Amino acid sequence: NYNIAPSISPNGGKIAILSNKDGPMSIYLISADNGKIIKKIVTGERNSEYEELHILKPGITWSPDGNHIAFSAKSGNSDVLYIINASTYKREKIELPNIEGVFRPSWSPKGDKIAFIGNNGKSSDIYIYDRLTKEISAVTNDWYSEDHVSWFPDGDKLIFISDRGDNLNGRDGYFDNQLDIYSLSLGTQNIIRLTDTPYNESYPVISSDNETIAYISDQSGINNIYLTDNNFLKSYPITN
């Protein structure tokens, strides 16, 4: 079987995962204790509602209270964001006008927002869906490609990767040759470059105590997992 994109629930009891255990790629809830299937909550590739579950850019995210999961899928002519109750399996479908591709959703620790990578046919930017106001806003809007977005524990800042180099807030069209890690404050829209290396970094996530950042780097020639403090003063690999 092809099992990808595991996402553990906040209480550690369940894991949401993409798998083709029964043929089509689907989303399952499984027990974190014994790996047994609790429920298949979405069956993909069988109807236009879940035409494609984006196995090349997967992302399943839990609400901080553990009551819901969110993911994106191709539905009809474009992508949509789905929110499913993890107990009743009731579904909420969120259509996103003018956004063709929706990837890697990430739920805010505050529970009120979901960040995701959106592609409008020209560029990939970070968007936020506000669950309270039902509004969608673009956090970045430029020529550069953003990806792998997640949240700082306070829910006020994002961490992500980009090829923008030192061009933090402009649109001059200059592209760097590698992917680096950046942070973005939602209040000020200020972008800070966290890494400046000749290597590619990806998938940055920060620990709940705000002290440690884990990420992937190809510094050794292949991808390995690294840990660093939140100021990137000392980084070291934990896989080889």
Side-chain angles (χ1 to χ4, degrees):
N1 298 321
Y2 191 51
N3 306 302
I4 58 172
S7 178
I8 195 164
S9 63
N11 68 3
K14 298 176 182 178
I15 299 172
I17 190 168
L18 283 163
S19 176
N20 61 351
K21 294 177 184 295
D22 296 326
M25 189 60 67
S26 303
I27 297 179
Y28 294 80
L29 291 182
I30 63 176
S31 168
D33 297 321
N34 54 32
K36 291 185 178 179
I37 296 174
I38 299 171
K39 178 79 172 179
K40 180 167 72 170
I41 59 175
V42 169
T43 300
E45 305 170 3
R46 291 293 175 87
N47 57 63
S48 60
E49 286 293 290
Y50 305 113
E51 186 175 331
E52 183 183 344
L53 293 176
H54 296 319
I55 63 173
L56 297 181
K57 289 188 175 181
I60 304 172
T61 183
W62 289 83
S63 61
D65 59 12
N67 292 331
H68 297 83
I69 67 168
F71 63 94
S72 63
K74 188 176 187 301
S75 179
N77 294 327
S78 62
D79 287 359
V80 300
L81 188 66
Y82 285 105
I83 297 175
I84 292 184
N85 188 295
S87 298
T88 66
Y89 312 114
K90 183 179 179 181
R91 184 192 71 180
E92 179 183 355
K93 181 179 179 180
I94 302 159
E95 297 183 349
L96 307 164
N98 303 318
I99 302 177
E100 296 178 9
V102 178
F103 309 102
R104 309 192 201 281
S106 179
W107 213 304
S108 165
K110 293 183 177 180
D112 58 337
K113 296 178 175 65
I114 299 174
F116 61 91
I117 301 299
N119 191 306
N120 62 7
K122 297 179 181 179
S123 61
S124 294
D125 288 295
I126 299 173
Y127 292 80
I128 287 181
Y129 170 69
D130 191 313
R131 292 206 71 201
L132 301 179
T133 64
K134 309 299 182 183
E135 294 180 346
I136 302 158
S137 57
V139 179
T140 62
N141 182 20
D142 49 48
W143 302 109
Y144 305 106
S145 293
E146 276 73 65
D147 208 348
H148 304 165
V149 62
S150 60
W151 295 83
F152 278 77
D154 60 9
D156 294 325
K157 288 200 305 182
L158 298 169
I159 188 169
F160 62 99
I161 65 164
S162 178
D163 60 357
R164 64 180 55 241
D166 287 327
N167 189 23
L168 302 182
N169 296 295
R171 295 175 60 94
D172 66 2
Y174 167 77
F175 292 88
D176 210 333
N177 291 323
Q178 85 275 338
L179 297 172
D180 285 297
I181 301 174
Y182 297 79
S183 68
L184 184 150
S185 172
L186 296 182
T188 63
Q189 300 294 301
N190 187 40
I191 296 176
I192 297 174
R193 187 175 188 176
L194 300 179
T195 62
D196 185 1
T197 72
Y199 318 112
N200 288 303
E201 285 91 30
S202 58
Y203 294 99
V205 291
I206 189 164
S207 59
S208 58
D209 62 4
N210 204 42
E211 295 295 327
T212 305
I213 294 174
Y215 63 98
I216 292 175
S217 172
D218 63 2
Q219 180 175 344
S220 64
I222 58 174
N223 283 330
N224 278 292
I225 301 172
Y226 287 71
L227 296 182
T228 182
D229 60 87
N230 59 10
N231 293 314
F232 282 85
L233 296 177
K234 182 180 180 181
S235 302
Y236 57 94
I238 59 171
T239 65
N240 183 20

